[in-house]
Amino acid sequence: MNKASVADLRINYVTNELLEKNVFNDPVRQFEIWFKDAKDSGIREPNAMVLSTIEDNKPSSRVVLLKGFDSEGFVFYTNYLSDKGIQMAETPFVSLNFFWDILERQVRVEGTVEKVSEKDSDEYYWSRPRGSQIGAWVSNQSSVVETREVLQEKLDYFEAKFKDMEVIPRPPHWGGYLVRPEKIEFWQGRPNRLHDRLLFSHDGAAWKIERLSP
Ligand SMILES: Cc1cc2nc3c(=O)[nH]c(=O)nc-3n(C[C@H](O)[C@H](O)[C@H](O)COP(=O)(O)O)c2cc1C
């Protein structure tokens, strides 16, 4: 595709609006409404979100899956020794970004990040299909692998090792993170690029809502 034909891609957003009088004071309740809309919209992975971390003042982004949220924050699971895990250990501050194309909506979250309890990680680990549980043992996430065959050999090894075990232990380096939001912005596409942006910021005691210029 040449540059001009990419530049010509343009959608006028006309589907929804986001007005102060229609939002909850609590952004997590607002997120709940929007997340349900995303689930109902037919989007295949409404819980896919871009997680950005920092290493030596440089940002790094990748997609992970949201696995729960409540008044405490947003939870996802990964390998604690992966690049992102090391980055979050050094700088426990991240951003999350959801883009729900068909709804012309974006949600941006910024906050601190911490590990969830061992119990929560165990519960989620054991709720996953057996193949995914074994996969967590196989993958030294983010490290260089010589060939695809090396992964397959490791998979064979762990499948044999756990063959007779009904409950596979959770690898100690695999578990969840909780992002405690300090800011949550809801973005709704509107006609003529005059989009709605409502920013919720937490000052330690309460949430404040401000409209941002698009
Ligand atoms: C749709 C989608 C969902 C993903 N979900 C996760 C996830 O929940 N946890 C995870 O560790 N990686 C997930 N990944 C893989 C990550 O994007 C990334 O490749 C991996 O976590 C390694 O990142 P890192 O090397 O920056 O640590 C997902 C990728 C895609 C495209």
Side-chain angles (χ1 to χ4, degrees):
M1 216 181 218
N2 66 33
K3 233 187 198 167
S5 57
V6 176
D8 283 345
L9 293 172
R10 188 171 294 118
I11 291 176
N12 197 27
Y13 303 122
V14 293
T15 313
N16 288 299
E17 59 181 17
L18 179 67
L19 303 178
E20 286 81 345
K21 66 180 166 75
N22 296 330
V23 294
F24 283 105
N25 290 329
D26 174 357
V28 178
R29 290 190 71 189
Q30 185 60 34
F31 184 84
E32 205 175 331
I33 303 286
W34 273 29
F35 190 66
K36 183 178 182 311
D37 289 346
K39 275 201 308 190
D40 294 345
S41 72
I43 295 174
R44 228 160 62 101
E45 292 197 286
N47 57 334
M49 57 187 188
V50 175
L51 162 74
S52 299
T53 50
I54 306 163
E55 182 175 9
D56 299 334
N57 288 329
K58 292 182 191 146
S60 171
S61 299
R62 81 288 289 153
V63 175
V64 293
L65 296 177
L66 179 70
K67 287 293 165 182
F69 65 91
D70 60 18
S71 57
E72 299 258 286
F74 300 82
V75 172
F76 63 91
Y77 288 85
T78 192
N79 185 312
Y80 291 145
L81 303 177
S82 63
D83 283 354
K84 74 179 99 43
I86 291 164
Q87 288 157 6
M88 288 186 288
E90 273 176 20
T91 310
F93 202 85
V94 300
S95 77
L96 305 174
N97 187 294
F98 297 85
F99 171 46
W100 295 313
D101 178 357
I102 196 108
L103 297 169
E104 303 168 348
R105 285 175 177 171
Q106 167 182 229
V107 178
R108 298 168 60 177
V109 177
E110 290 175 11
T112 55
V113 66
E114 62 198 62
K115 289 180 184 171
V116 304
S117 69
E118 302 265 321
K119 182 174 162 286
D120 285 358
S121 288
D122 280 342
E123 273 175 19
Y124 176 65
Y125 180 77
W126 288 321
S127 77
R128 303 172 86 213
R130 201 174 161 86
S132 306
Q133 293 184 36
I134 295 177
W137 280 102
V138 172
S139 171
N140 291 332
Q141 197 176 53
S142 315
S143 66
V144 174
V145 192
E146 213 49 37
T147 60
R148 176 85 210 175
E149 286 66 41
V150 172
L151 276 183
Q152 185 61 49
E153 280 161 23
K154 272 188 88 180
L155 177 64
D156 296 343
Y157 168 82
F158 281 108
E159 276 180 345
K161 179 171 167 146
F162 296 131
K163 187 163 59 72
D164 299 322
M165 287 169 76
E166 203 180 315
V167 178
I168 299 174
R170 173 175 59 87
H173 56 265
W174 191 96
Y177 285 99
L178 169 72
V179 178
R180 291 185 187 273
E182 292 178 355
K183 286 183 184 176
I184 306 184
E185 182 196 322
F186 295 86
W187 183 102
Q188 176 69 65
R190 296 295 305 273
N192 306 315
R193 296 297 182 256
L194 295 180
H195 315 301
D196 287 329
R197 298 179 64 190
L198 294 184
L199 172 65
F200 292 70
S201 332
H202 204 264
D203 62 8
W207 288 103
K208 129 181 126 185
I209 307 179
E210 291 163 308
R211 176 172 287 270
L212 301 183
S213 179

